[in-house]
Every structure is written in structure tokens, then in C-alpha cells.
Amino acid sequence: MKVPLLDLQAQYETIKDEIHSAVAEVLESQRFILGNQVASLEKEIARFCNVPFAVGVASGTDALLLSLKALGVGSGDAVVTVPFTFFATAGAISNLGARPIFVDIEPQGYEMDPEKLDYFLTRECSIRSNDKKLTQNASGSVVKAILPVHLFGQCANMDDISGIAGRYDIPVIEDACQALGAVYKGKAAGSIGNSGCFSFFPSKNLGGAGDGGMILTSSEDLANTVRLLRVHGERDRYYHSIVGFNSRLDEIQAAVLRAKLPYLAQWSEARRSNAEDYTRNLIAAGLSDFVTPPAILPDRSHIFHQYVIRCEKRDALQDYLKEKGIDTKVYYPVSLHEQDCFRSLGYHTNDFPISHAASKETLALPIYPELTTEQKQHVVDSIASFYGRA
Ligand SMILES: *Cc1c(COP(=O)(O)O)cnc(C)c1O
């Protein structure tokens, strides 16, 4: 039996006609950039997440980049984020000439640990006397933003993070690229901070037919600024008030995403139900000594962009599952503080032990909505046989 990590084909088969007519509509209109499809998708995502403003951009990476830029992050500034995330989180910070500063994740949930954030801002930063800005003692960089990541489809502890950020009046940008539809205390992921960033990369829970992204915000000013930034800062044709980027969501992408959005809630529900089955069956198979299923943290609903276990002998398990026809993936094998490109930041492996351990012990199992009962059973049976429990 084959169990791919993700089966986009299976999903496509169920909505093929709708996708084709959505794309055909755009082709017939011959309007490809910033037309009705993008405007409508922006409204629909804004409503889905219950925020007033949404701005379509070219990718999740650009959603981060434009949000950071709009909040004034630039050369020599610092942004606090986590080292256990997809590269783009820190890449966007670096590409603006700013310094990513890492704080470790919570041992249970893989998201920013508010205590570590608090420790960093309180102990390793000071208020600069001339302009009262919070600066990192070691680098002298002004801390301009905090960028928590809702990794794998579960929100970070936003109450604590927002509370700490608020004490220092530092904006919070949510990297919600993996969390469209996740909820924290009744609020949608991406609707809680100053801005929320989404990705429509094909493998995300709501994936387009290529790259795409969106910025959510409750601030009209911020929405206006990112709208300018995505079109080279052009207010009227060929009159540029600021220097921006070319970062639009395409009409064709928006049309595909609009066709898929009505299904997102049911797809998330199917992922959640798959996760429940895995967790129940892993425990029933007596694997608790070898495998720790993902924790669902209080006040949150998890949309299981990934179902990530912690396990003994991770790499050997992955190889064994491959032999059994099961694809799995390591998200992420190298914590960002250990990446070559960030060597100049001066971090050491042991600086973030929770992130480092996660990079060595975690494994993502197939969790896509169309997974069958037999496939799920095959995954659990194979894990059980690897650990001699079959
Ligand atoms: C996918 C992802 C991004 C980047 O999104 P792209 O659309 O691929 O640019 C950023 N952060 C996280 C956590 C992601 O998972």
C-alpha cells in the first residue's frame, strides 16, 4: 500500500470542474492582475477570519516581507522570532537588512515560548536613553517587531505574547502561513496581531495552482501601506510615494483559491479527524514509550497542517516507513540558528535546546484530508512493527 505525504491529485479530482471553470473565467476576461477575483478573495478571507482588511500578495514570504516593511522594519533593526520554523520567517527579516533574533519554542507545542520572549526583552535589551527605543544590548539593534509562528496549524500562545509585546509597545506579526482556519480563544489565526500572514503555496491547507499569499490586518493604515508596497509604492500611475515591490496575487490564483475556499472547513475537519485516529491508534498499539503524538494546547483548535510526532530513532523509522510505502517528512531538519547563512548572528547549537531537539526527534506523518482508514491503519501498523510491537 502506498501512502504519500500529500495527495493533491485526490483533492483535485473532487473539484476539477469548479477549478476549470474558475480558471476559464479569468482567461475569458483577460484580466490577470488585481481584478475582481483578487478583490473578492480578499473579502472572503477577511470574512473567514473576521478581520476588516485583507491584501493579496505574491507569496507567504512576501506577506511577511511587506508586513515587516510596512511596520518600519529596515536596515539595522531587530525582529524576534523562533528558530524552529520554515526558513522564510527569518529570511524575510534578513532580506530587509534586519537581524533575526531567536527565542526558543515551547517544549509541548513547537511555538514561541512566551517566557523566553519575556526573558529576552527584559534581560537582554534596554531602553535607549535618547529615543526610548528598546534595543538589544549585544547588537544595539532596535527591536521593531515580534514574529511568532503558528507552526503545523496550531496557534502560539498569543495572549502572553501580545501582553509582553504590549508592555514594550512592539507590534506583533503572526506567521500564520500554516494556520488558515486555526482558532485561538475564539479568534482566527492571523487576526490577532498587528498583521497576519498567509501562504497559498500548493501544499498548504488552502493551496493555489502556484504561489500566493495574503496579509490580514485590523489597521486601515497598515492595509493601505501594504497595498502600496505590492505595486512599487505607486499611488497614482507612475507617481511613487514610497519604494515598494512587485508582489501581487494573480487573478488566476485567486480564482482557484475562491473555488477551494468553501471546502476548507471540511478539509480541516477531515485532517482533525485523521489526527484523532492516529493518536488513538498509536496509543492503543502500545507505542507511548516510543512515540509522542502532537499535543493540542489549551484554548486552541489545531488544523493539522502537519501531524508531527516525536519519536525514538527517528531517521531509522523514516527509512523503515519508506520501505513500507509510506512517505514522511522532517520539518525541519536544521534549526535556523544552526544554518550556515546565519552563522554571522553568532548563535551556538545549545542556545536553543528545545528547537535543536525538535529538529532531531520529529517526523511528520501523512495527514491530508483524503487519507483512507486503511492507509491510516497501515501507517500505525508499520510504526508498531518498527518498534517490535506488532
Ligand atoms: C510556507 C511558509 C512560509 C512561506 O510561504 P511561501 O508562500 O512559500 O512563500 C512562511 N512561513 C511558514 C511557517 C510557512 O510554512
Side-chain angles (χ1 to χ4, degrees):
M1 186 186 292
K2 289 273 178 229
V3 191
L5 188 68
L6 177 64
D7 190 351
L8 287 175
Q9 197 72 39
Q11 186 170 84
Y12 175 58
E13 292 301 334
T14 66
I15 51 170
K16 209 172 194 162
D17 294 345
E18 290 150 82
I19 300 285
H20 286 199
S21 58
V23 171
E25 197 182 315
V26 176
L27 291 175
E28 290 302 327
S29 79
Q30 287 293 302
R31 169 117 200 222
F32 299 115
I33 303 292
L34 297 185
N36 286 339
Q37 297 293 339
V38 170
S40 299
L41 181 70
E42 288 173 344
K43 287 203 189 77
E44 288 160 13
I45 298 276
R47 194 178 319 129
F48 187 77
C49 295
N50 198 21
V51 285
F53 306 104
V55 182
V57 293
S59 66
T61 304
D62 278 8
L64 293 164
L65 191 75
L66 270 61
S67 291
L68 288 162
K69 175 120 178 151
L71 286 166
V73 174
S75 186
D77 293 329
V79 176
V80 185
T81 189
V82 286
F84 192 61
T85 175
F86 178 57
F87 182 77
T89 313
I93 299 168
S94 261
N95 273 325
L96 288 169
R99 165 186 286 266
I101 290 177
F102 299 122
V103 296
D104 215 347
I105 55 170
E106 298 189 64
Q108 290 291 315
Y110 306 113
E111 288 83 31
M112 180 180 279
D113 185 339
E115 283 179 24
K116 304 278 168 51
L117 173 67
D118 194 22
Y119 184 93
F120 170 76
L121 296 177
T122 317
R123 305 291 189 83
E124 295 181 25
C125 296
S126 329
I127 309 278
R128 199 158 68 181
S129 57
N130 59 345
D131 58 5
K132 308 281 179 251
K133 294 229 154 79
L134 190 75
T135 55
Q136 182 189 25
N137 298 335
S139 66
S141 300
V142 175
V143 180
K144 279 281 183 71
I146 295 166
L147 180 39
V149 181
H150 305 321
L151 204 67
F152 304 144
Q154 176 160 253
C155 287
N157 182 338
M158 289 304 292
D159 268 5
D160 288 2
I161 292 169
S162 305
I164 294 160
R167 269 199 342 250
Y168 296 98
D169 205 18
I170 301 171
V172 176
I173 299 171
E174 297 171 67
D175 182 339
C177 286
Q178 299 186 5
L180 179 57
V183 176
Y184 175 85
K185 294 197 175 173
K187 292 181 194 155
S191 74
I192 307 164
N194 297 68
S195 93
C197 301
F198 291 110
S199 165
F200 304 122
F201 186 77
S203 66
K204 300 287 155 86
N205 287 25
L206 180 66
D211 281 308
M214 197 162 281
I215 297 166
L216 263 55
T217 180
S218 301
S219 155
E220 188 163 15
D221 279 352
L222 189 62
N224 287 338
T225 306
V226 291
R227 277 184 206 284
L228 271 182
L229 284 172
R230 76 176 167 179
V231 291
H232 298 292
E234 181 181 73
R235 207 179 288 275
D236 297 309
R237 201 76 178 117
Y238 305 124
Y239 288 83
H240 301 261
S241 50
I242 52 175
V243 178
F245 305 89
N246 171 357
S247 182
R248 274 98 49 157
L249 179 64
D250 290 335
E251 283 286 286
I252 287 188
Q253 294 307 333
V256 169
L257 293 162
R258 289 185 70 206
K260 293 176 84 171
L261 181 59
Y263 298 96
L264 182 62
Q266 85 192 45
W267 288 334
S268 295
E269 201 43 54
R271 285 171 181 271
R272 211 172 282 136
S273 155
N274 288 340
E276 278 167 21
D277 288 349
Y278 271 143
T279 297
R280 184 177 355 90
N281 294 340
L282 286 167
I283 292 166
L287 291 167
S288 304
D289 288 347
F290 311 103
V291 172
T292 309
I296 299 175
L297 300 176
D299 307 316
R300 278 158 258 210
S301 78
H302 200 316
I303 55 151
F304 288 99
H305 173 60
Q306 299 296 347
Y307 181 91
V308 174
I309 58 170
R310 268 180 194 262
C311 49
E312 301 270 306
K313 297 188 260 169
R314 191 262 318 265
D315 294 346
L317 173 63
Q318 183 174 34
D319 292 345
Y320 182 81
L321 293 177
K322 184 86 213 162
E323 282 169 31
K324 295 280 181 185
I326 301 164
D327 288 339
T328 60
K329 202 146 182 178
V330 174
Y331 298 107
Y332 297 92
V334 183
S335 182
L336 297 188
H337 71 288
E338 300 170 78
Q339 294 286 354
D340 279 348
C341 65
F342 291 138
R343 196 166 287 165
S344 66
L345 296 175
Y347 289 117
H348 303 286
T349 293
N350 297 336
D351 289 343
F352 308 107
I354 315 283
S355 291
H356 178 78
S359 72
K360 299 297 167 209
E361 296 167 5
T362 58
L363 190 64
L365 305 181
I367 191 68
Y368 59 90
E370 299 77 14
L371 211 56
T372 66
T373 305
E374 292 71 31
Q375 286 175 312
K376 283 180 273 186
Q377 198 55 50
H378 180 54
V379 173
V380 173
D381 290 347
S382 303
I383 296 173
S385 83
F386 174 76
Y387 291 112
R389 288 294 164 114

